[in-house]
């Protein structure tokens, strides 16, 4: 009886949120009554299908993910061991920050890998939005391309929040060398050909877009992300994009910066299938690009943050779609 009352209370709230649904929902109800003589079960199922996306968007949904870290073993041989922690984060207090997914990179192979990441990244971000998480875009050097976008204007309208005292963080140096050609694994001239993000990535009006390396305000991105942290009471920040051994760690809004502002290792992470590194096998530790990426993600897991799998959310999406098909 309590569940029945709760459903209709939430249904009324959803109507108030988006009144344009009332007419279509009434048509669904009348059609069912006419065909089945008022079969209550079918009518309730149809109402649930109409209202479920609204309810999820309005009240959020737990993000069930598995956070992977690495720690040094305390018994037997000293070895790094992975640890897996299932988490159920509040979606409305979790942000996914997309870094530097440019339309073109001066390194041709980097451009190719960005293009390959874009399709699964779009799928992942779509599901994150559906579950109520925040999407934050951080396209270094090309913020001006988005000056009039809703995502950018929303970010600029956030109230200013004072930054906390920055604390020093000391960790071992990164494992990948980038002295040869800036880490590019093909011979090419270094430049700045990017003009915007890759067009296949979808920026929605509900998203945010922070400054990244503005010429006259290089630290603006840090302040803007912190404004969002305080305004939306964010507790987790997860990064995806390029490059994990450069921008995702070192930009003013990135993992190192958020750590210095007080975020803990269990509050920060990367989506390990949706990141890349700048690295050529000509540089130490002289491994393949694929192995270099895995090595650097392991470094992040040991000293800076956790990692999560994109399949944690995409599997949730598949289960959601299956449940809809069963109605």
């Amino acid at each position: 009886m309590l569940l029945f009352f709760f459903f209709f209370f939430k249904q009324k709230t959803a109507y108030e949120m988006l009144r344009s649904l009332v007419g279509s929902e009434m048509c669904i109800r009348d059609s069912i009554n006419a065909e089945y003589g008022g079969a209550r079960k079918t009518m309730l199922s149809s109402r649930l299908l109409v209202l479920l996306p609204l309810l999820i968007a309005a009240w959020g949904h737990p993000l069930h993910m598995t956070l992977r870290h690495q720690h040094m073993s305390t018994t037997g041989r000293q070895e790094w061991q992975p640890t897996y922690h299932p988490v159920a984060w509040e979606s409305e207090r979790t942000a996914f920050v997309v870094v530097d997914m440019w339309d073109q990179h001066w390194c041709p192979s980097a451009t190719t890998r960005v293009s390959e990441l874009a399709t699964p990244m779009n799928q992942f971000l779509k599901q994150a939005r559906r579950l109520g998480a925040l999407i934050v875009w951080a396209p270094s050097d090309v913020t001006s391309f988005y000056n009039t976008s809703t995502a950018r204007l929303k970010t600029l309208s956030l109230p200013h929040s004072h930054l906390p005292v920055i604390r020093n963080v000391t960790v071992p140096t990164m494992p990948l060398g980038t002295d040869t050609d800036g880490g590019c694994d093909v011979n090419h001239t270094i430049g700045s050909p990017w003009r915007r993000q890759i067009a296949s990535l979808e920026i929605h009006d509900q998203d945010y877009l922070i400054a990244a390396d503005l010429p006259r305000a290089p630290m603006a991105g840090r302040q803007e992300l912190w404004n969002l942290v305080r305004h939306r009471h964010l507790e987790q920040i997860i990064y995806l994009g390029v490059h994990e051994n450069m921008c995702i760690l070192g930009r003013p809004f990135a993992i190192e910066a958020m750590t210095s502002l007080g975020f803990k290792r269990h509050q920060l992470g990367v989506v390990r299938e949706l990141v890349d590194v700048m690295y050529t096998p000509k540089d130490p530790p002289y491994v393949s690009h694929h192995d270099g990426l895995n090595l650097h993600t392991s470094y992040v897991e040991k000293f800076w943050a956790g990692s999560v799998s994109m399949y944690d959310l995409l599997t949730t999406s598949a289960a959601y779609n299956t449940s809809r098909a069963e109605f």
Side-chain angles (χ1 to χ4, degrees), residues 75-146:
T75 59
R77 283 186 170 182
Q78 294 178 343
E79 295 186 73
W80 289 102
Q81 300 289 336
T83 57
Y84 298 87
H85 301 283
V87 296
W89 290 328
E90 294 182 56
S91 58
E92 65 273 17
R93 296 193 177 185
T94 303
F96 292 95
V97 179
V98 184
V99 181
D100 292 355
M101 289 289 288
W102 289 314
D103 58 340
Q104 186 178 359
H105 197 281
W106 61 265
C107 178
S109 56
T111 300
T112 298
R113 286 190 287 267
V114 164
S115 179
E116 292 169 349
L117 287 175
T119 297
M121 187 177 292
N122 249 339
Q123 296 171 341
F124 178 85
L125 296 174
K126 180 179 180 180
Q127 176 64 356
R129 284 191 199 94
R130 175 187 289 170
L131 295 175
L134 275 69
I135 309 302
V136 182
W137 303 91
S140 300
D141 297 339
V142 297
T143 309
S144 59
F145 184 88
Y146 302 97

Side-chain angles (χ1 to χ4, degrees), residues 25-224:
E25 204 282 332
M26 289 290 287
C27 292
I28 293 173
R29 185 195 66 187
D30 293 342
S31 174
I32 292 172
N33 284 340
E35 184 174 358
Y36 298 104
R40 301 292 296 174
K41 182 178 179 180
T42 307
M43 183 174 67
L44 289 174
S45 298
S46 299
R47 286 179 173 178
L48 182 59
L49 281 177
V50 172
L51 296 173
L52 185 58
L54 277 178
L55 296 177
I56 288 175
W59 292 284
H61 188 284
L63 301 179
H64 293 283
M65 311 192 80
T66 300
L67 195 60
R68 189 176 79 186
H69 289 97
Q70 296 196 37
H71 73 282
M72 183 66 70
S73 60
T74 56
T75 59
R77 283 186 170 182
Q78 294 178 343
E79 295 186 73
W80 289 102
Q81 300 289 336
T83 57
Y84 298 87
H85 301 283
V87 296
W89 290 328
E90 294 182 56
S91 58
E92 65 273 17
R93 296 193 177 185
T94 303
F96 292 95
V97 179
V98 184
V99 181
D100 292 355
M101 289 289 288
W102 289 314
D103 58 340
Q104 186 178 359
H105 197 281
W106 61 265
C107 178
S109 56
T111 300
T112 298
R113 286 190 287 267
V114 164
S115 179
E116 292 169 349
L117 287 175
T119 297
M121 187 177 292
N122 249 339
Q123 296 171 341
F124 178 85
L125 296 174
K126 180 179 180 180
Q127 176 64 356
R129 284 191 199 94
R130 175 187 289 170
L131 295 175
L134 275 69
I135 309 302
V136 182
W137 303 91
S140 300
D141 297 339
V142 297
T143 309
S144 59
F145 184 88
Y146 302 97
N147 277 348
T148 60
S149 69
T150 300
R152 180 65 184 142
L153 295 175
K154 278 176 56 182
T155 303
L156 293 174
S157 70
L158 291 171
H160 178 85
S161 294
H162 291 290
L163 292 169
V165 176
I166 295 177
R167 62 190 183 98
N168 293 324
V169 181
T170 302
V171 301
T173 57
M174 291 187 289
L176 302 181
T178 56
D179 290 339
T180 303
D181 298 328
C184 186
D185 51 2
V186 297
N187 294 324
H188 208 271
T189 303
I190 296 176
S192 302
W194 40 80
R195 295 294 177 265
R196 54 167 296 171
Q197 287 191 145
I198 187 170
S200 56
L201 284 176
E202 302 169 0
I203 301 177
H204 290 215
D205 288 348
Q206 68 200 76
D207 300 344
Y208 291 84
L209 193 147
I210 63 173
D213 291 352
L214 294 180
R216 297 181 181 179
M219 296 297 169
R222 176 181 300 181
Q223 180 64 62
E224 291 179 6

